[in-house]
Amino acid sequence: MSKASFLHASLQPPHQMFVNSLYLPIILIFVNYIHRLDGIPMSLMLKLYLVLALTVVGLSQPGGYVAGQNAIGSGMENCVELVRNRLYMYWTLESDQSGNQIADIVLEGRLPDGATENYYLSYGYSKEGARGSEMTGGTAILGGLVNGECFGYDYYLQTILECDYSLGFGSCPTYVSNGKNDGTTMVEMVACEKKGNVLAVRMRKPLGVDIDGLPGTAWPADDSRYAMYAMGRVGAGSSIAQPDALLHTVETPQRPGLKLALDQPQTECLASSPLGLVVTDAAASPPPADAVVPPSPVSVVEAPPSVLPVDTFDGEAERDDDDDDRSEAEGEADHDDDDHDHDDDDGEASAVVQQAAADAAKVSMIPLKCVMTINGEQMNFQTCTDVTTVGSNFNIAWNLTMDPNDPGVTIMTMGMNASINNQYVSVGFPSKKNSMVDAAAMILSSTSTIGTSLKQYYMTGYDESDVDISSEGANVLDIVPPFGPENDGMVSGLFTVSLPYSFSSVQSAMQGQRRRRLFQTSASPLSAYNLIFAAGDVRSDGSLKEHYDDGAGDVNLAIALVSDGFSISNDITVVQNEGAKVAHQVLSAIGWGILVPLGVIGARAKNQLQAPKWYNAHRYIMAFGYLLGLVGFGLGFAINKSWDTLYTVHRDLGVTITVLATVQVLALLWKPKPGTTLRKIWGPYHMWVGRCTTLLALANIYYGMFGMGEENVDTWAWAVYSACLALIVILGLVSEYREFLLRKEQALATQSKTMEEGQFKTAPPLDGIKDEKDPGSSGSSMDGVSP
């Protein structure tokens, strides 16, 4: 267990500290001798003794311990390159006294520059059931520097927001997320060391054990869950106890995701020291020259070939100088350390082939350096992202610069490329969120008859006739003619647009004030800039057909200023069908939320509506409500045109409700005959399943109104529905009261009738005289009386 108060000091190993402590008596004798000899004040001698004692025992200055040379990497049995030439992870698995597995992990990363004193490295796992390397809901170990001092914690990634310690919300240390606030996490901070622009952090983490108060957060030893990594800056104003890990600048590509098994040997970089700081035991004692080293089976998910060239990271200078030295024909991935150069041509050719194979196997783990071929020349970009939901191999990359003539605007140069053949892709700048109406768009197209083009359009509606070439809607300053198609069908284009936001404010927001807090807006409008995307076919005359793919999302354009030339993830999703969304809301609310509850009331009104009126009312109202709800259920999937959704709870509840309601309808077809044993079972079953289905439907309707974030309905909508539901509840209560009174009246009437029937059977004759016949007559006592 690590405490924040101890994280700033990097301890030597316990056995080394014990050996060093034996020198303390000698130091005490030495200090006392100097005091007696020179008459130096005792207070100064005590200070000298403490300094010498702490230095010898092992409480070293921030920057790490060195138990022998390169101790931070000693004992590591595995190594994997997470980001080529920038982030590495070393680890070994151990067992504690209870038999639990412990992962001893070293993260080694290259910092932006040697002066960086606030930076973090992290590695973790996505939540169970994630479909890729997803941050939200996952856990990670995160360690690094705050103003040059070391820290390391377990983090629970509740959201993508940075941690708000006052609210306990965001991506926070687990002692904040579980509400304990005691500074204690399951991670043991062992050491950290910084040398030049390279940082290494060593931490120990138990495997297979949930974090206290956070179920489902146990790390696996196998590859049953997606792994993730990240690098980024730490707020300079934060502290060791509360490090402010800012938005990462390097992260795992979310799709297809990273799979890494800690219990499988990974030795691809174990015998080398790629960044020069961590030297493992294997690297310190290299194998003989004739030894055969088997390949390491890196367990990763294969990714499709990227349209953005994979390049190495070697600081700012490499971006300008190394492109000319790279051989495109060989596709060689060039590392910045000259020690890795080969001595002869045959060895170099072999190494190129091996490196290419290794790169292909690891491509899913590598954030891509943002390079595009524009007008026949390679161009570097500050950052880039892929638009996976639209078109084929659609990517955008951009640079942000200052306009020297107008400090109130930011100049964005954006490159876009995609695999298009008689097709087009577009990037749009909407005036209304996620809407193509009154939006400007840059459309890149390619046809076999006319060729390629990149033009600015303006859209006034949804029809083809509403899309026209126009300079309206966006201040586009320049358009570079498209390049391509290349051999792989890729076409690239470049345009420059002026954005009405001060560059200095965007820059300061990202570099100094990028903390995003709950209930606060983003630091800069460019931190969540809404863009729309589309892809469609092009006719032979160059005219555009209606798009077959579309998407929209808030893209962090401002991160280009701090992303170091690497790709970022995005939240671009398929544009919702607004018509289907409104119809889904209305039909579901009427069907499940109004008619079905009225049908339940009808079934309870047996005494108010004489048979078969109550039965028909129940049957017809329920059937109509079921049909409307079924249509609304289908329209729910038409909103995103997919089974996949961000709102899985709402979807799964809808599926459950529809299945139960269908079972209720089918139960009427197999209703047992009255008086049978099955009928006695069927009655309560039908009644209680119906009640439960109705309650689930009402709960899901309100979840759809209040639990969907930005998709929540307007206030007037839920107010109107709630008023209708309140009237139905009142009607139900009145109906139940009337039913109670009628049942009570019927019970009294039945009791009175029963009593009357009993009295008639036991009462004497009305005249009260015993009916005795005259002995001499055969009739009544009145028969022998003459008038």
Side-chain angles (χ1 to χ4, degrees):
M1 310 297 284
S2 63
K3 280 280 190 177
S5 57
F6 295 112
L7 290 178
H8 68 281
S10 303
L11 299 179
Q12 292 189 5
H15 67 278
Q16 187 66 41
M17 293 176 63
F18 173 75
V19 172
N20 290 349
S21 66
L22 299 179
Y23 292 97
L24 294 181
I26 299 175
I27 295 174
L28 182 61
I29 295 173
F30 172 73
V31 171
N32 186 55
Y33 173 75
I34 294 178
H35 168 66
R36 291 177 177 275
L37 183 65
D38 297 336
I40 300 175
M42 179 57 69
S43 61
L44 183 60
M45 288 295 96
L46 288 175
K47 293 180 180 178
L48 176 62
Y49 172 73
L50 289 175
V51 170
L52 292 175
L54 292 176
T55 302
V56 171
V57 171
L59 285 175
S60 65
Q61 74 279 5
Y65 69 81
V66 179
Q69 188 176 7
N70 298 305
I72 199 168
S74 63
M76 296 294 106
E77 300 175 351
N78 303 276
C79 175
V80 67
E81 185 181 51
L82 296 176
V83 181
R84 185 170 347 133
N85 203 29
R86 192 170 187 193
L87 180 62
Y88 294 81
M89 185 173 78
Y90 307 80
W91 76 93
T92 187
L93 297 184
E94 304 171 352
S95 297
D96 60 13
Q97 296 179 351
S98 303
N100 298 321
Q101 278 190 312
I102 305 294
D104 192 353
I105 297 175
V106 176
L107 293 173
E108 181 187 32
R110 184 190 299 276
L111 308 182
D113 54 65
T116 301
E117 295 292 333
N118 296 281
Y119 212 80
Y120 68 85
L121 312 173
S122 71
Y123 175 82
Y125 287 90
S126 301
K127 64 181 179 181
E128 294 182 1
R131 295 181 297 131
S133 297
E134 300 173 358
M135 172 182 171
T136 304
T139 57
I141 57 172
L142 190 149
L145 300 174
V146 175
N147 298 320
E149 294 185 291
C150 301
F151 74 93
Y153 288 113
D154 249 341
Y155 269 67
Y156 177 62
L157 313 177
Q158 186 177 4
T159 71
I160 62 173
L161 301 176
E162 297 153 9
C163 184
D164 190 320
Y165 286 91
S166 62
L167 296 174
F169 187 85
S171 295
C172 298
T174 53
Y175 73 82
V176 176
S177 300
N178 62 18
K180 293 193 173 182
N181 293 312
D182 58 358
T184 302
T185 72
M186 294 180 65
V187 167
E188 177 188 354
M189 178 67 174
V190 180
C192 74
E193 186 173 350
K194 178 177 177 287
K195 180 180 179 182
N197 68 333
V198 179
L199 171 67
V201 184
R202 185 167 184 170
M203 294 172 280
R204 290 165 56 87
K205 162 79 176 180
L207 301 181
V209 180
D210 282 339
I211 299 170
D212 189 19
L214 298 171
T217 55
W219 276 23
D222 56 18
D223 62 354
S224 58
R225 290 165 66 178
Y226 283 95
M228 56 184 173
Y229 56 80
M231 304 170 64
R233 290 174 170 79
V234 177
S238 55
S239 64
I240 295 295
Q242 295 184 347
D244 194 358
L246 303 178
L247 184 66
H248 44 259
T249 56
V250 174
E251 66 173 353
T252 326
Q254 186 173 346
R255 299 287 187 275
L258 167 64
K259 286 293 188 75
L260 179 61
L262 297 180
D263 59 357
Q264 296 296 319
Q266 312 279 356
T267 59
E268 62 179 87
C269 52
L270 194 64
S272 63
S273 179
L275 299 185
L277 178 57
V278 176
V279 179
T280 62
D281 298 338
S285 302
D290 57 349
V292 178
V293 180
S296 174
V298 181
S299 175
V300 301
V301 178
E302 293 291 343
S306 171
V307 298
L308 297 181
V310 178
D311 213 338
T312 59
F313 176 90
D314 192 24
E316 298 294 334
E318 185 203 27
R319 298 181 192 149
D320 299 326
D321 302 329
D322 285 1
D323 288 340
D324 296 334
D325 300 330
R326 217 168 258 109
S327 173
E328 295 182 22
E330 294 177 339
E332 179 180 357
D334 169 41
H335 286 262
D336 61 323
D337 291 333
D338 292 335
D339 295 336
H340 295 285
D341 292 339
H342 300 281
D343 296 325
D344 56 87
D345 293 340
D346 293 339
E348 184 174 353
S350 175
V352 170
V353 174
Q354 295 176 4
Q355 184 64 48
D359 290 345
K362 297 182 300 182
V363 68
S364 68
M365 298 192 299
I366 302 171
L368 309 176
K369 187 177 180 183
C370 301
V371 180
M372 281 188 186
T373 303
I374 304 295
N375 203 17
E377 297 181 0
Q378 282 196 334
M379 180 175 179
N380 292 310
F381 290 87
Q382 294 167 341
T383 193
C384 53
T385 191
D386 56 337
V387 188
T388 56
T389 60
V390 177
S392 175
N393 296 327
F394 187 12
N395 298 267
I396 57 173
W398 63 95
N399 294 327
L400 296 183
T401 56
M402 179 179 62
D403 186 346
N405 300 318
D406 187 354
V409 302
T410 296
I411 301 299
M412 181 177 70
T413 301
M414 176 172 284
M416 50 191 296
N417 65 358
S419 179
I420 50 178
N421 182 20
N422 295 319
Q423 296 165 319
Y424 69 87
V425 292
S426 70
V427 177
F429 301 86
S431 59
K432 293 178 289 187
K433 187 177 179 67
N434 295 347
S435 175
M436 67 177 286
V437 179
D438 296 327
M442 298 302 300
I443 299 182
L444 177 67
S445 64
S446 174
T447 62
S448 57
T449 56
I450 298 179
T452 60
S453 71
L454 176 60
K455 297 178 181 179
Q456 181 181 356
Y457 286 74
Y458 186 73
M459 301 169 290
T460 58
Y462 298 101
D463 296 333
E464 293 180 14
S465 59
D466 296 328
V467 181
D468 297 305
I469 297 176
S470 172
S471 60
E472 188 177 355
N475 187 14
V476 176
L477 305 177
D478 184 45
I479 299 177
V480 176
F483 176 76
E486 301 181 74
N487 294 333
D488 55 0
M490 296 298 297
V491 177
S492 303
L494 181 79
F495 64 92
T496 302
V497 61
S498 175
L499 302 176
Y501 304 103
S502 168
F503 179 81
S504 59
S505 64
V506 175
Q507 188 177 42
S508 61
M510 291 304 296
Q511 292 182 345
Q513 302 174 6
R514 299 182 302 153
R515 299 174 182 83
R516 293 180 293 166
R517 301 301 187 194
L518 187 64
F519 309 128
Q520 293 181 1
T521 58
S522 298
S524 165
L526 295 186
S527 299
Y529 195 83
N530 191 241
L531 294 175
I532 58 176
F533 306 88
D537 293 324
V538 182
R539 298 182 179 90
S540 59
D541 61 357
S543 61
L544 309 176
K545 295 183 180 180
E546 184 177 351
H547 55 261
Y548 53 74
D549 275 345
D550 56 14
D554 293 337
V555 180
N556 191 345
L557 298 179
I559 202 173
L561 300 177
V562 293
S563 62
D564 299 322
F566 283 81
S567 64
I568 63 169
S569 62
N570 60 66
D571 63 351
I572 299 169
T573 56
V574 176
V575 174
Q576 292 184 348
N577 186 327
E578 289 297 321
K581 177 181 173 182
V582 173
H584 164 74
Q585 294 170 338
V586 173
L587 293 180
S588 297
I590 295 175
W592 299 123
I594 293 179
L595 294 179
V596 168
L598 286 174
V600 172
I601 294 175
R604 299 282 299 171
K606 296 181 180 180
N607 293 307
Q608 300 173 71
L609 301 174
Q610 296 299 320
K613 291 182 180 180
W614 72 265
Y615 177 71
N616 289 334
H618 170 68
R619 179 173 58 176
Y620 293 138
I621 293 175
M622 280 293 192
F624 192 40
Y626 170 74
L627 290 176
L628 290 182
L630 195 61
V631 174
F633 172 75
L635 289 172
F637 292 99
I639 296 174
N640 288 326
K641 307 171 187 176
S642 171
W643 167 265
D644 296 328
T645 177
L646 296 174
Y647 313 109
T648 55
V649 173
H650 187 62
R651 178 199 63 193
D652 295 344
L653 279 175
V655 171
T656 303
I657 292 161
T658 304
V659 170
L660 290 175
T662 303
V663 170
Q664 284 289 86
V665 172
L666 295 177
L668 295 175
L669 303 178
W670 292 287
K671 182 166 59 174
K673 294 181 179 180
T676 62
T677 302
L678 288 177
R679 184 58 175 263
K680 295 179 180 179
I681 299 174
W682 182 91
Y685 146 78
H686 184 69
M687 178 176 63
W688 283 105
V689 170
R691 291 174 178 175
C692 292
T693 303
T694 303
L695 292 176
L696 279 177
L698 295 176
N700 201 30
I701 288 172
Y702 275 100
Y703 181 84
M705 290 192 293
F706 296 109
M708 311 287 281
E710 292 183 353
E711 305 302 326
N712 289 345
V713 300
D714 294 332
T715 302
W716 69 266
W718 67 258
V720 170
Y721 173 74
S722 297
C724 293
L725 184 61
L727 292 176
I728 294 173
V729 171
I730 294 173
L731 176 63
L733 293 175
V734 171
S735 177
E736 283 296 311
Y737 180 69
R738 292 188 63 188
E739 283 292 307
F740 170 75
L741 294 179
L742 290 173
R743 285 195 295 268
K744 186 175 180 180
E745 291 177 4
Q746 290 179 352
L748 291 175
T750 302
Q751 183 179 5
S752 176
K753 184 177 180 180
T754 302
M755 292 177 61
E756 289 178 358
E757 291 178 352
Q759 290 176 356
F760 178 76
K761 291 179 180 180
T762 59
L766 294 177
D767 53 6
I769 301 174
K770 184 178 180 180
D771 185 13
E772 295 181 354
K773 293 184 179 180
D774 186 285
S777 66
S778 59
S780 66
S781 57
M782 300 296 294
D783 288 347
V785 180
S786 56

